[in-house]
Amino acid sequence: MRAFIFPGQGSQSVGMGSALAAASPYAREVFQEVDDALGQHLFKLMSAGPDSDLMLTENAQPAIMANAIATLRVLEREGGVRLADKADFVAGHSLGEYTALCAAGAFDLPTTARLLKLRGQAMQAAVPVGEGAMAAILGADRDKAQAIADAAAEGEVCTVANDNDPSQVVISGAKAAIERAVPLAKEMGAKRAILLPVSAPFHCPLMRPAADAMADALEKVTLQSPLVPLYANVTAAPVADPAMIASLLVEQVTGMVRWRESVLAMVAGGVHDFVELGGKVLGPMVKRTAPDATATSVVTMDDIEALLKAL
């Protein structure tokens, strides 16, 4: 069995999608459709920067999605591949969950772009700049990372945000608490902790205003049943019911991304082949979590052609 998986924030970089757009009209079509939906020249920003603008959450989220969907569109149109024929499940890391749902036909592309633009804006607005932070705890499992977060909290929000793989967990919360956690991590047995260059403390209770904004937005859009089930971030379990998916997308804004558990659950469910579209971040996480699984990251035309031979 196979899962198509889609990356989250942090996989953006200036130049993303440019080579694909130069090589395929189907990729250009996706980027134009996203530009039209947002009323901005997002692809120009993806291609040429500046990096400071692309890093903004409201731009990074739809850009990462557009790049992944363009990769899938080329695979489908030029390779004659249908997702429903080649994938048994989809999953995405944080914003990648929206990409996964778009890939599986639950959201159309313009709706996905607009939802992610709004999600980025709402997440940024939820906590004033400079009041929240995130840090990666390396060489620690989730329990150890949570113990570090608890020790650093001192009454402030500080909790596990992303359980990525057995050796990488991200914590999120009030800036002062996260800054206390960084030196504490090594003292408490982690290899090290690194402050992340993010503009807001994602996936923690401080994001409640953004969750409310997404609840309102999701009530106003059409969400179809996906062509294949989605492994949801907050449950690490498959879901196909549109109402339940919408509820989980809201919960995801403040909830933990249970990526390690999702990978293990997919493997336990029979998935042995993971294909990451539009990034090179999740594949290594999969391998660190499930060393016996196959993980392929697909970004370039050469990657697409190699995948087509393997499918």
Side-chain angles (χ1 to χ4, degrees):
M1 296 176 79
R2 181 182 294 114
F4 281 8
I5 58 177
F6 299 88
Q9 202 155 336
S11 48
Q12 73 276 5
S13 62
V14 172
M16 63 191 297
S18 297
L20 204 61
S24 173
Y26 300 112
R28 293 195 294 275
E29 183 182 83
V30 168
F31 296 132
Q32 186 61 55
E33 202 171 335
V34 170
D35 277 4
D36 291 345
L38 298 181
Q40 75 173 106
H41 297 299
L42 182 64
F43 182 61
K44 183 178 178 183
L45 178 59
M46 293 164 63
S47 302
D51 182 64
S52 56
D53 287 352
L54 182 59
M55 287 287 287
L56 291 173
T57 303
E58 66 175 87
N59 293 326
Q61 294 200 20
I64 292 163
M65 180 277 298
N67 191 50
I69 294 298
T71 308
L72 175 66
R73 183 88 55 97
V74 173
L75 185 70
E76 290 181 325
R77 298 286 175 83
E78 296 200 8
V81 167
R82 289 183 70 250
L83 179 143
D85 294 337
K86 298 297 183 181
D88 301 283
F89 300 102
V90 292
H93 191 283
S94 189
L95 81 90
E97 202 153 76
Y98 286 80
T99 316
L101 289 165
C102 180
F107 289 128
D108 63 36
L109 180 57
T111 297
T112 311
R114 287 190 288 266
L115 283 171
L116 285 174
K117 183 78 173 177
L118 173 66
R119 185 177 182 269
Q121 291 170 334
M123 287 176 136
Q124 188 60 69
V127 179
V129 173
E131 291 189 13
M134 300 179 78
I137 311 291
L138 305 179
D141 62 14
R142 189 171 84 193
D143 289 344
K144 183 173 282 186
Q146 188 60 60
I148 292 165
D150 291 342
E154 296 182 11
E156 295 184 292
V157 172
C158 190
T159 190
V160 170
N162 304 339
D163 180 10
N164 287 333
D165 65 45
S167 64
Q168 185 196 106
V169 180
V170 174
I171 61 172
S172 180
K175 185 180 181 184
I178 298 298
E179 288 176 342
R180 286 191 292 270
V182 170
L184 261 180
K186 200 160 186 179
E187 291 173 26
M188 293 179 67
K191 188 176 176 183
R192 62 184 172 132
I194 307 165
L195 283 171
L196 297 178
V198 295
S199 54
F202 306 133
H203 300 292
C204 79
L206 296 175
M207 288 285 109
R208 172 53 54 194
D212 293 341
M214 292 314 297
D216 290 342
L218 286 162
E219 280 183 5
K220 296 169 186 167
V221 301
T222 300
L223 203 168
Q224 308 283 355
S225 295
L227 296 170
V228 297
L230 168 84
Y231 265 82
N233 284 180
V234 295
T235 61
V239 60
D241 175 67
M244 180 59 70
I245 290 171
S247 175
L248 293 174
L249 288 174
V250 173
E251 191 179 335
Q252 183 230 66
V253 179
T254 57
M256 185 195 311
V257 175
R258 295 167 62 185
W259 187 254
R260 176 186 60 85
E261 290 176 88
S262 295
V263 171
L264 291 174
M266 283 186 268
V267 170
V271 174
H272 55 82
D273 186 17
F274 293 82
V275 177
E276 176 185 9
L277 293 169
K280 295 194 173 184
V281 175
L282 299 182
M285 288 182 191
V286 167
K287 290 297 288 181
R288 288 192 291 269
T289 302
D292 293 336
T294 301
T296 308
S297 295
V298 181
V299 176
T300 65
M301 284 298 292
D302 285 347
D303 294 337
I304 290 169
E305 287 165 10
L307 178 63
L308 284 169
K309 290 174 184 172
L311 287 175

